[in-house]
Amino acid sequence: MNTRQQFTSDNYAGMCPEAWQAMMQANVGSLIPYGEDEWTSRAADAFRALFEKECEVFFVFNGTAANSLALAALCQSYNSVICSSYAHVETDECGAPEFFSNGSKLLVARTESAKLTEQDVRLLSTCRSDIHYPKPRAVTITQPTETGELYSLSEIRTLAQTCRELGLYLHMDGSRFANACAALGCTPADMTWRAGVDVLCFGGTKNGMAVSEAVLFFDRALADGFDYRCKQAGQLASKMRFLSAPWVGMLESGAWLRNARHANTCARRLAEQVVGQPGVSLMFPVQANGVFIHAQPAVLERLRACGWRFYTFIGGGARFMFAWDADMAEVDRLAADIKACAGAA
Ligand SMILES: *Cc1c(COP(=O)(O)O)cnc(C)c1O
């Protein structure tokens, strides 16, 4: 088995000790299934405490389900959802948002990075108002974005205000939400409902859990029927405690934030070592736990020959993502290899 650490994605990591510990603690006794157990209510309460809000909380198996079902809850089948051309919902969910909403169309803004602007939202939501166009009903933003960037709080507030004005809901894909909190040093509440976000998908997998994403509805009325939606989509775990208990471990111990801080630190550490090297440049500002490196194809080939695995699906650059378990010595080794491979040009 090849156990060498790779930074191909932040889902290469296993479970962090806090999640694992809670999973073991939950593996005791016979408990009521389908989320009626104590672990699940404790996890939901931990979210309410963290977000300082009496929100509705649901746990599903993965991010594709979380995003798709959350968006479906906001839309009728004739509605549409505005997103960036880099958005995971558009590029990496195999049409699930359209499928689970029975056809709500994604309206894609051709953005330069993965960040949507107020102008993008205005343009796509006001360019047509006739009955032949799928009526815009929601905007989805990813925080941090697929390109490793952050929306500032004021950018989120501006987008939310624009949404209100135009009669749109604001959904946040937070598959790496913890990394955004760690990077901006703000509270989860400030980044979401206080800024005007209606629904958040909070990622557990990339934060150090085995499985499970939380869907948070800050306006409880929007969650009406969401339990049925989850069940119908095959996302209602009968042994729900194993999806919820690890969240108790993550939130009550503070591991969610520690893990994210560590991952962000590793990304900065790699970026600092390679920036300014001839033949290497950063494609996007490094603001969370991802680093995107632009280099000649021959350089990337050599890097692969050194044994590093990475994706190039965003603009042909090499993407490196860091998780809770990233080993600093391995980060430094990657930096040294990048420098060597670029220098050999
Ligand atoms: C990883 C990821 C998801 C969730 O993906 P799943 O594989 O379905 O769990 C959602 N959004 C973004 C931006 C992601 O990177």
Side-chain angles (χ1 to χ4, degrees):
M1 190 172 63
N2 179 9
T3 53
R4 171 180 165 173
Q5 189 163 52
Q6 291 286 347
F7 305 117
T8 321
S9 184
D10 30 6
N11 56 15
Y12 270 47
M15 290 171 85
C16 67
E18 294 83 353
W20 181 245
Q21 189 75 34
M23 191 79 125
M24 285 200 302
Q25 285 167 359
N27 194 31
V28 173
S30 68
L31 295 183
I32 308 175
Y34 299 111
E36 302 296 323
D37 62 288
E38 295 98 78
W39 283 105
T40 303
S41 52
R42 191 166 151 200
D45 284 342
F47 272 106
R48 292 182 190 113
L50 182 66
F51 281 79
E52 308 164 58
K53 183 83 176 163
E54 281 302 306
C55 47
E56 289 288 345
V57 185
F58 299 86
F59 302 103
V60 296
F61 289 100
N62 63 24
T64 298
N67 284 336
S68 302
L69 296 174
L71 290 171
L74 303 177
C75 293
Q76 297 287 339
S77 58
Y78 54 81
N79 283 139
S80 53
V81 176
I82 294 168
C83 68
S84 154
S85 45
Y86 288 90
H88 197 270
V89 290
E90 159 70 2
T91 63
D92 289 285
E93 298 189 357
C94 198
E98 289 94 337
F99 179 77
F100 284 112
S101 61
N102 280 312
S104 304
K105 191 180 190 307
L106 291 176
L107 295 181
V108 177
R110 301 277 148 217
T111 48
E112 267 173 45
S113 77
K115 278 174 80 171
L116 266 185
T117 64
E118 179 191 353
Q119 287 67 38
D120 296 323
V121 172
R122 281 190 190 283
L123 194 67
L124 281 171
S125 67
T126 60
C127 61
R128 291 269 295 271
S129 60
D130 58 272
I131 198 150
H132 306 283
Y133 194 64
K135 189 174 170 48
R137 192 62 176 139
V139 170
T140 177
I141 57 174
T142 307
Q143 174 77 330
T145 68
E146 291 77 1
T147 50
E149 295 170 276
L150 292 163
Y151 290 91
S152 68
L153 292 191
S154 84
E155 286 172 327
I156 298 170
R157 288 188 202 113
T158 301
L159 281 166
Q161 272 160 19
T162 308
C163 287
R164 289 286 171 278
E165 183 196 320
L166 298 167
L168 306 168
Y169 292 118
L170 184 56
H171 164 265
M172 182 177 276
D173 173 350
S175 75
R176 301 184 177 92
F177 184 76
N179 300 91
C181 291
L184 287 176
C186 65
T187 68
D190 284 343
M191 191 134 65
T192 55
W193 62 272
R194 280 202 197 108
V197 172
D198 297 296
V199 185
L200 169 71
C201 296
F202 189 137
T205 310
K206 287 170 184 157
N207 192 217
M209 290 166 56
V211 63
S212 180
E213 317 272 306
V215 184
L216 277 63
F217 289 88
F218 300 112
D219 173 356
R220 303 185 93 158
L222 291 176
D224 194 35
F226 196 73
D227 44 354
Y228 288 92
R229 212 177 268 287
C230 289
K231 173 68 195 183
Q232 189 181 48
Q235 290 289 325
L236 178 66
S238 74
K239 294 190 182 177
M240 185 66 90
R241 58 173 140 160
F242 296 112
L243 264 65
S244 57
W247 278 115
V248 173
M250 298 294 282
L251 301 187
E252 291 186 357
S253 70
W256 71 281
L257 199 54
R258 276 196 302 280
N259 288 353
R261 281 204 190 107
H262 174 74
N264 293 355
T265 301
C266 291
R268 266 201 316 276
R269 187 172 174 115
L270 176 66
E272 279 162 10
Q273 292 182 71
V274 302
V275 79
Q277 292 295 314
V280 176
S281 59
L282 297 178
M283 296 174 71
F284 307 100
V286 175
Q287 298 177 336
N289 66 326
V291 179
F292 292 76
I293 288 173
H294 176 80
Q296 289 301 311
V299 173
L300 299 186
E301 261 324 296
R302 281 197 285 274
L303 202 50
R304 287 194 206 279
C306 291
W308 293 104
R309 296 163 69 167
F310 50 85
Y311 289 116
T312 54
F313 65 88
I314 291 186
R319 186 190 81 159
F320 296 99
M321 302 296 306
F322 301 93
W324 66 275
D325 67 338
D327 179 346
M328 287 290 187
E330 288 299 299
V331 177
D332 290 347
R333 204 160 68 78
L334 171 60
D337 281 349
I338 292 172
K339 285 191 265 190
C341 291

